[in-house]
Amino acid sequence: MEINNVQLHGVGHPVLLLPGGAESGDGFFPGLIEGLTADPGCQVIVYDRPGTGTSPADGALADAASHLSSLIDRLGCGPVVAVRQSLGGAVAVLLARDHPHNVAGLVLLDPTPLNDPRTCARLERTTRLLAGAAAVPGVHSLLSAAVRATAARVARRSTLRPDCAAALARTARLDVPTLARAVRGITALSRDLRETDLPRIPAVVVTADRTPRSRVRRAHARLAQAFGAPLVSWPGATHSVHLDHPDETLATVRTLLTPTGPPTGP
């Protein structure tokens, strides 16, 4: 069922999906909707916030958390378990900090490390530069071709499930200017974030298979500690962990929907 750009699937405990970057939620998490509506039985909410995906409205990253909280209030479905990847994970952190009454749990899938200002500043700067380059005639086509070729190589090496390979191919059709607008302001948001302000709620932080010395992995470990959550990493997991480990992703989300919940973190 779709109401005002909101897709509702199934009945039961509400689970809000939010994709990474400026992508649409439609098809972003292969198998997750079907798996959660079947077991344990959930109402899965798919929504493209303003400025992303198929949303007809403009929106800023700084307003994303308050907008989503208003959506949850309007639907009357809170608190929700929020499942977010990449930039969606950063939004989830802000939602939990600013509107904890609307968040029953978090699954952060290799989230953009909002608690690391240096990484966020580099991300905002890089996307801004790429968006500027994409405005040059011919450069946008070259960038798009390079992203698609990289995605195709990853799909071949990882032997992705067909639906996951298709999802990766869709995200490879990257709209760099839209992504740059979606990321705009993340540097300031990151500087204002204090890990001590994050609530202790049921959560799991999934990080890609990086070296323990990785700056991103260390930021993810601090996020997990702030939420009182476990830090999980699967062998061979990439930034697109929901695509190269879809079964493990589904199982992880289910842990937050069981009476016992996830194991506690450090």
Side-chain angles (χ1 to χ4, degrees):
M1 178 172 60
E2 184 167 346
I3 304 174
N4 296 329
N5 203 37
V6 181
Q7 295 181 36
L8 302 174
H9 304 266
V11 294
H13 193 95
V15 176
L16 176 62
L17 302 184
L18 195 67
E23 297 298 322
S24 172
D26 191 15
F28 188 85
F29 295 100
L32 201 56
I33 295 173
E34 299 84 351
L36 292 175
T37 54
D39 177 17
C42 301
Q43 182 178 65
V44 180
I45 305 158
V46 182
Y47 177 67
D48 294 346
R49 64 181 175 83
T52 69
T54 60
S55 175
D58 292 330
L61 183 62
D63 300 326
S66 60
H67 179 88
L68 289 173
S69 183
S70 296
L71 171 71
I72 294 167
D73 290 339
R74 190 166 74 247
L75 294 175
C77 63
V80 303
V81 169
V83 180
R84 318 293 179 90
Q85 188 262 349
S86 193
L87 186 61
V91 174
V93 170
L94 294 173
L95 179 65
R97 183 194 66 179
D98 297 340
H99 308 277
H101 64 287
N102 268 333
V103 181
L106 289 176
V107 178
L108 302 178
L109 302 170
D110 208 51
T112 300
L114 196 61
N115 57 332
D116 187 338
R118 179 175 162 187
T119 298
C120 288
R122 184 168 63 246
L123 172 64
E124 186 169 4
R125 182 171 61 251
T126 300
T127 54
R128 184 175 64 247
L129 291 173
L130 287 174
V136 178
V139 174
H140 185 271
S141 297
L142 291 174
L143 286 173
S144 298
V147 172
R148 290 196 301 272
T150 299
R153 285 196 301 272
V154 169
R156 287 194 300 270
R157 290 197 199 113
S158 305
T159 59
L160 297 181
R161 208 169 67 191
D163 56 344
C164 294
L168 182 63
R170 282 195 299 273
T171 60
R173 296 193 288 269
L174 185 64
D175 185 333
V176 176
T178 300
L179 176 61
R181 288 192 294 272
V183 168
R184 188 179 301 154
I186 196 170
T187 304
L189 289 169
S190 180
R191 286 174 181 157
D192 290 341
L193 182 78
R194 293 185 300 178
E195 292 164 359
T196 53
D197 289 340
L198 299 179
R200 305 281 285 192
I201 59 175
V204 178
V205 180
V206 179
T207 189
D209 188 5
R210 300 183 180 91
T211 170
R213 297 181 62 185
S214 160
R215 188 177 189 90
V216 172
R217 186 183 179 102
R218 285 185 281 126
H220 287 168
R222 294 196 307 274
L223 268 183
Q225 186 173 31
F227 283 118
L231 180 69
V232 176
S233 185
W234 301 307
T238 69
H239 183 55
S240 299
V241 61
H242 60 297
L243 300 181
D244 51 52
H245 287 73
D247 295 334
E248 292 89 340
T249 297
L250 174 58
T252 298
V253 178
R254 282 174 172 158
T255 65
L256 264 74
L257 299 165
T258 61
T260 56
T264 56

